[in-house]
Each structure stands twice: as structure tokens, then as C-alpha cells.
Amino acid sequence: MGTLRLATWNVEWFAHLFDQEDRLLADEEPSRRHKTTRADQADAIAYVIERLDADLLMIIEAPNTGHAQRTTRALEGFAQTYSLRQTAAIMGFPNHTHQEIAALCDPTRMTPRNTPMASAAAPRFDETYYLDVEEDAQPD
């Protein structure tokens, strides 16, 4: 298979470029980015993804998964809209903060799979777990 190109990117406000049915909102309405339209932001994201040329791109703050929304559907639709080579999306554990972590990859180079694992030192990443971060003897 040769060398794989892997990248990670925190795409700020990516989720706000999609409607409740995960359709891309690449229009002239303002995005959450200061003085930027949703079309310009979407175009810029696609431009960077193309230039990264990663076989697998881990996206932090990916589009949301919720009652109706699906991160993978939004990412795959985005990839199709911009004719990106990274057309297969996968995500792990959705959470209530909508700070989704997902991957977009080139399926001709790899097959993504989510396989949560755990050990005594590290809990599974696809479950909620509580930790006392405030040192008040109460799990947060």
C-alpha cells in the first residue's frame, strides 16, 4: 500500500454550515466566522482539504450528530459537493456538546473502522465516564 498521509484539523464552526437535514448551506449568508459568508467558508475548507491531500483527515468540531443530524452524512455530502477524493466518513462517540470527532478518508486507500478498546488504565472512548476534576470528591 505504501505511505499513508494522515492529518488532523480543528475546523471551527464547521457544523454551522449544515441545516438540520445535513444539507450544505454554501450561500451568501454570514457564517460564524467573522466577516465570512457560508459559501466562502465552505469553499475555503474544501480548498484546504484538497491541498492537505491526506488519505485520512481527522476532523475536530465536525458537523453534529443529533436527533436528525448525522456527522457522516454531512461530511460525505460535503465531499461529494466539492468532488473530494476523501469520500468515506466515520465517527466515534457522539456527545451532547456537539464537538464531534470524525474522519474523512479516501476509500481507495483504506477502509475506516471504529473499534473502541479499553484497558484498566484507559476507559472506552465511546461511553460516558465520570472523573473528579474539581477535587471535591464528586464525579463530573
Side-chain angles (χ1 to χ4, degrees), residues 9-18 24-26 31-33 36-53 57 59-63 74-75 78-79 82 84 86 104:
W9 183 16
N10 185 331
V11 184
E12 186 179 43
W13 303 114
F14 201 5
H16 293 280
L17 297 180
F18 299 90
L24 182 62
L25 301 170
S31 79
R32 293 287 181 110
R33 303 273 317 154
T36 303
T37 67
R38 293 189 293 208
D40 287 344
Q41 184 182 0
D43 290 349
I45 291 167
Y47 178 86
V48 170
I49 291 172
E50 288 174 345
R51 296 319 175 273
L52 285 172
D53 195 31
L57 174 61
I59 300 173
I60 312 304
E61 289 193 53
L75 288 175
F78 183 86
Y82 285 97
L84 301 174
Q86 304 87 347
L104 191 58

Side-chain angles (χ1 to χ4, degrees), residues 72-90:
T72 53
R73 184 173 56 204
L75 288 175
E76 289 173 355
F78 183 86
Q80 182 178 22
T81 297
Y82 285 97
S83 301
L84 301 174
R85 73 177 180 94
Q86 304 87 347
T87 58
I90 187 171

